[in-house]
């Protein structure tokens, strides 16, 4: 059964904001990265067109969020803003594994095919900021070890997941800066990321070993070099992005979609 055929996802077809207006739906989170395990939650992410009322009237639609299914579907105009800033949580939606797009209309494909429009040196700060947050969480977690057994187990798991996502963010940012590509599904890095997640870079006391920090230091070195030598512009091509936005929204207004 297609995941979207499950009863809990019925709102994707019945919500007037969604249905035939959706231009793409895909995985988010660990399934998108290829780091899911048997107990991983399924997150769905996507984009839906703004309505004529949004574009010509007083509508202010931004997104549909369903907490029960961990689903977020962004409005088209809403999604463009974080894409322009190379926000990791949204830019990754343009680089998912092709077969992981459950819904992909011609406009959705056009958006994904034009992903380079949104790539710029802004990725240095957006990805670097997120990676820095992960590192601080990791370091803070390591200094608090006076937990009851159950809480300590959660702490250890959380530390490993933070460490894994830290490395994943660095790798994704390097793809953007070095190759101008968005690679969300980390097939080549799968074993490394899962080893980190499974604690194989931790010592007996659950602090991270020198191999992990050597890896982290090497990625930081590469990132610093890439930041100085990337061919990406300082900011994305706003003229081209706006032209695409106008083209799509005009088709909505004229009822061509």
């Amino acid at each position: 059964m297609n995941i979207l055929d499950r009863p809990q996802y019925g709102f994707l077809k019945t919500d007037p904001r969604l249905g035939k207006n959706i231009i793409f739906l895909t995985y988010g989170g660990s399934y998108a990265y290829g780091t899911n395990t048997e107990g991983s939650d399924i997150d769905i992410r996507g984009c839906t067109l703004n309505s004529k009322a949004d574009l010509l009237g007083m509508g202010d639609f931004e997104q549909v969020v369903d907490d029960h299914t961990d689903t977020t579907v962004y409005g088209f105009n809403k999604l463009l803003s974080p894409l322009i800033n190379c926000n990791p949580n949204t830019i990754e939606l343009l680089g998912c594994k092709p077969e992981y797009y459950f819904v992909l209309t011609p406009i959705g494909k056009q958006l994904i095919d034009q992903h380079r429009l949104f790539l710029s040196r802004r990725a240095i700060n957006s990805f670097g900021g997120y990676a820095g947050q992960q590192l601080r969480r990791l370091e803070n977690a390591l200094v608090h070890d006076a937990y009851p057994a159950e809480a300590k187990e959660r702490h250890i798991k959380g530390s490993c997941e933070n460490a894994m996502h830290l490395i994943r963010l660095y790798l994704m940012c390097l793809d953007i800066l070095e190759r101008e590509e968005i690679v969300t599904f980390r097939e080549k890095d799968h074993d490394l990321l899962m080893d980190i997640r499974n604690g194989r870079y931790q010592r007996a006391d659950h602090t991270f070993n020198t191999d992990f920090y050597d890896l982290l230091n090497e990625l930081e070195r590469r990132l610093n070099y890439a930041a100085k030598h990337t061919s990406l512009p300082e900011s994305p091509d706003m003229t081209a992005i706006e032209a695409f936005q106008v083209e799509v929204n005009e088709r909505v207004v004229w009822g061509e979609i």
Side-chain angles (χ1 to χ4, degrees):
M1 176 188 290
N2 185 313
I3 185 174
L4 300 185
D5 291 331
R6 298 176 184 177
Q8 60 266 42
Y9 293 102
F11 70 94
L12 292 170
K13 297 177 181 178
T14 60
D15 190 310
R17 295 284 190 177
L18 306 178
K20 63 182 179 60
N21 300 310
I22 293 173
I23 62 173
F24 76 78
L25 284 176
T26 187
Y27 280 126
S30 61
Y31 277 85
Y33 313 136
T35 58
N36 55 291
T37 62
E38 186 175 347
S40 294
D41 294 331
I42 296 176
D43 302 330
I44 301 295
R45 298 290 181 267
C47 180
T48 189
L49 295 172
N50 290 85
S51 69
K52 185 184 294 188
D54 291 331
L55 300 172
L56 299 179
M58 299 177 65
D60 58 355
F61 171 69
E62 293 190 347
Q63 60 195 29
V64 171
V65 178
D66 183 77
D67 293 329
H68 178 63
T69 58
D70 291 322
T71 297
T72 300
V73 183
Y74 299 96
F76 177 70
N77 285 349
K78 164 71 174 179
L79 181 61
L80 293 182
S81 179
L83 288 179
I84 287 167
N85 288 314
C86 218
N87 175 281
N89 290 332
T90 54
I91 203 74
E92 67 184 27
L93 302 180
L94 305 187
C96 291
K97 201 173 183 179
E99 56 265 41
Y100 282 3
Y101 289 99
F102 312 116
V103 175
L104 186 61
T105 69
I107 291 177
K109 187 175 187 303
Q110 188 178 0
L111 174 62
I112 290 166
D113 288 346
Q114 297 184 112
H115 64 269
R116 285 189 176 87
L117 286 179
F118 302 96
L119 301 185
S120 72
R121 290 173 179 262
R122 293 183 183 183
I124 299 166
N125 290 328
S126 62
F127 274 81
Y130 273 66
Q133 291 173 23
Q134 294 288 351
L135 180 58
R136 284 191 291 275
R137 290 193 190 107
L138 174 61
E139 292 174 336
N140 288 337
L142 293 177
V143 300
H144 296 94
D145 57 2
Y147 294 110
E150 183 177 348
K152 187 171 185 178
E153 184 177 345
R154 290 197 302 270
H155 148 69
I156 294 167
K157 180 181 178 182
S159 296
C160 291
E161 290 182 353
N162 281 336
M164 177 188 70
H165 286 301
L166 170 62
I167 298 302
R168 178 186 61 77
L169 287 167
Y170 275 128
L171 292 170
M172 285 192 68
C173 189
L174 285 167
D175 285 328
I176 291 172
L177 297 178
E178 294 177 345
R179 302 191 293 117
E180 300 185 17
E181 291 292 344
I182 305 167
V183 183
T184 304
F185 189 83
R186 308 304 307 183
E187 186 172 11
K188 293 181 179 179
D189 308 309
H190 174 269
D191 290 348
L192 167 64
L193 295 174
M194 296 307 288
D195 280 348
I196 296 171
R197 181 173 190 168
N198 292 328
R200 292 175 185 165
Y201 281 79
Q202 286 186 319
R203 301 183 181 94
D205 64 357
H206 304 296
T207 58
F208 286 87
N209 61 29
T210 54
D211 288 342
F212 174 79
Y213 284 105
D214 286 346
L215 170 64
L216 185 60
N217 290 336
E218 173 60 17
L219 291 177
E220 287 178 338
R221 183 196 65 77
R222 282 181 58 192
L223 192 60
N224 288 334
Y225 181 87
K228 294 176 182 177
H229 295 87
T230 183
S231 58
L232 288 174
E234 290 292 334
S235 298
D237 187 341
M238 296 301 298
T239 301
I241 293 171
E242 185 178 43
F244 174 59
Q245 182 180 18
V246 169
E247 174 197 344
V248 170
N249 288 334
E250 278 186 338
R251 292 176 64 190
V252 171
V253 171
W254 289 106
E256 297 175 357
I257 298 177

